Amino acid sequence: MIKRPVNTCDRYHAHVYFDAETIAPASALCAAAGEQFGVAVGHVHQKLVGPHPCWSCQLSFDKTQFDTLIPWLDQERDRLTILIHGVTGNDLADHTEYAAWLGDPVPLNLTIFEVQS
């Protein structure tokens, strides 16, 4: 069963995943989210960034925006996959325990959170 987003944190990121074929609708979705909901829209990365296994764009928002933004993203995303996670200061927990999905989940590269000695 796919873990769906629940509003339990103070701050959140949504990572909209796309590829060369879906960059235009993903960019439009992120821009519309910024305009309609006042969320911070990050770069449209046409490369892998952090633990994300796909090209992505980050949306930053808080718990007051969650309940209107998430249903809208789910309705407007078409076939795009979106990772939603809390921002707690613990990157590993944020991308595992506090992670949920709109669309089909994809495995994250969690090795970047391993402690380097």
Side-chain angles (χ1 to χ4, degrees):
M1 187 165 141
I2 297 172
K3 185 175 177 186
R4 300 283 296 168
V6 178
N7 194 354
T8 59
C9 294
D10 289 333
R11 296 182 305 136
Y12 295 91
H13 287 162
H15 299 276
V16 178
Y17 291 160
F18 57 90
D19 58 22
E21 293 179 8
T22 56
I23 189 172
S27 297
L29 178 70
C30 292
E35 292 169 9
Q36 293 183 35
F37 297 94
V39 302
V41 179
H43 295 288
V44 177
H45 292 287
Q46 295 182 58
K47 63 180 182 178
L48 301 185
V49 175
H52 308 291
C54 306
W55 296 353
S56 62
C57 180
Q58 176 179 289
L59 304 174
S60 298
F61 56 100
D62 65 29
K63 65 182 177 183
T64 65
Q65 296 163 306
F66 186 101
D67 292 331
T68 54
L69 176 64
I70 297 304
W72 180 87
L73 283 173
D74 199 21
Q75 178 180 334
E76 299 296 321
R77 69 180 178 79
D78 193 20
R79 296 170 292 138
L80 297 170
T81 291
I82 304 174
L83 166 65
I84 312 290
H85 69 80
V87 178
T88 66
N90 180 331
D91 289 337
L92 180 59
D94 289 348
H95 290 84
T96 54
E97 181 179 343
Y98 301 113
W101 298 91
L102 302 177
D104 296 325
V106 294
L108 301 177
N109 176 12
L110 300 175
T111 61
I112 71 160
F113 301 126
E114 293 175 0
V115 177
Q116 302 292 321
S117 49

